[in-house]
Amino acid sequence: DQQVKQNSPSLSVQEGRISILNCDYTNSMFDYFLWYKKYPAEGPTFLISISSIKDKNEDGRFTVFLNKSAKHLSLHIVPSQPGDSAVYFCAANPDSNYQLIWGAGTKLIIKP
Amino acid sequence: DADVTQTPRNRITKTGKRIMLECSQTKGHDRMYWYRQDPGLGLRLIYYSFDVKDINKGEISDGYSVSRQAQAKFSLSLESAIPNQTALYFCATSDFISGQETQYFGPGTRLLVL
């Protein structure tokens, strides 16, 4: 049973528009969430994170929103750029366990 | 220079062969991990180590073993490779600051078992 779900395998967005990637989780004990970005032939790289004590964290063009009651987080990229085309993974850090739990990833394609 | 390196980057082997994937890090982290990635399944944890004397099985450890030779080195072995171990393998290290963990990945090893 997947504890972290990214239900959209892929997403296509026009350059300059907003990209919204979604992630749902099932365990209310998760207290820290991360987004990673992965290019082909490279390892995932850390992008942005959020603690459960916050509902928003912003870093430049990237903003992560956390809705604890809905067990949902989203990553907003605005404006989207061609270099944002990659696979994005959502991950959660359980309070009692230091292993990250990973979603299956969403492939973002930015169209020129 | 990369903080987390993996060798080899690509490997083709035959069923039944023993193979070792190596990982080195210069980040000074105590925690190291081995993951595999399969299409549509995201990252699945094989083994992890919180220090040189601490080795733990992950979600999918069957068919794999690991060795933590030093703080900076963590190797993954397939004792007798089988075709369904064909995958992309990633090593990662992590820091754990203020109760929050961030992982840093190597470039990956693409393994094909024929």
Side-chain angles (χ1 to χ4, degrees):
Chain A
D1 183 32
Q2 283 188 297
Q3 298 188 65
V4 176
K5 298 181 182 180
Q6 294 177 256
N7 292 318
S8 298
S10 65
L11 175 67
S12 186
V13 174
Q14 201 74 34
E15 181 179 358
R17 300 289 189 104
I18 184 171
S19 295
I20 300 176
L21 297 102
N22 294 303
C23 179
D24 296 296
Y25 61 97
T26 58
N27 190 336
S28 59
M29 295 299 293
F30 290 166
D31 69 344
Y32 181 56
F33 303 89
L34 308 92
W35 284 95
Y36 281 76
K37 177 179 180 179
K38 184 185 177 304
Y39 292 119
E42 295 183 12
T45 55
F46 171 72
L47 189 57
I48 192 170
S49 63
I50 189 167
S51 166
S52 61
I53 62 174
K54 296 184 176 181
D55 54 17
K56 176 182 174 181
N57 189 27
E58 190 172 355
D59 183 2
R61 296 186 298 113
F62 302 91
T63 303
V64 56
F65 295 93
L66 176 62
N67 182 333
K68 290 184 288 293
S69 60
K71 296 192 183 70
H72 176 84
L73 64 155
S74 59
L75 174 68
H76 293 211
I77 306 172
V78 57
S80 299
Q81 298 175 354
D84 296 330
S85 294
V87 177
Y88 290 79
F89 290 99
C90 169
N93 190 185
D95 180 43
S96 61
N97 186 322
Y98 303 140
Q99 299 175 45
L100 293 183
I101 309 297
W102 295 83
T106 296
K107 184 176 183 179
L108 176 64
I109 300 166
I110 305 301
K111 300 180 292 185
Chain B
D1 287 342
D3 295 319
V4 184
T5 57
Q6 293 183 233
T7 55
R9 293 296 311 277
N10 294 280
R11 180 73 182 266
I12 300 174
T13 191
K14 295 182 178 180
T15 297
K17 293 290 188 180
R18 184 178 189 274
I19 183 171
M20 179 182 288
L21 309 182
E22 298 189 359
C23 176
S24 295
Q25 54 116 346
T26 59
K27 299 187 77 69
H29 292 163
D30 286 326
R31 301 180 175 200
M32 297 188 74
Y33 305 81
W34 275 104
Y35 288 94
R36 65 178 278 176
Q37 183 191 7
D38 298 276
L41 292 178
L43 294 167
R44 292 188 291 167
L45 183 63
I46 305 172
Y47 270 94
Y48 63 102
S49 169
F50 282 174
D51 65 43
V52 175
K53 297 180 181 179
D54 178 74
I55 303 289
N56 303 281
K57 293 182 177 181
E59 178 187 355
I60 52 164
S61 59
D62 288 348
Y64 301 94
S65 63
V66 291
S67 174
R68 184 81 185 266
Q69 300 95 323
Q71 186 203 39
K73 296 184 182 297
F74 193 35
S75 59
L76 176 72
S77 294
L78 286 67
E79 298 301 326
S80 179
I82 56 177
N84 76 0
Q85 291 178 312
T86 293
L88 191 53
Y89 289 84
F90 290 104
C91 173
T93 73
S94 71
D95 55 28
F96 189 71
I97 300 172
S98 301
Q100 297 176 346
E101 167 155 319
T102 302
Q103 294 187 5
Y104 303 88
F105 287 80
T109 295
R110 189 171 296 278
L111 176 65
L112 174 62
V113 183
L114 300 174

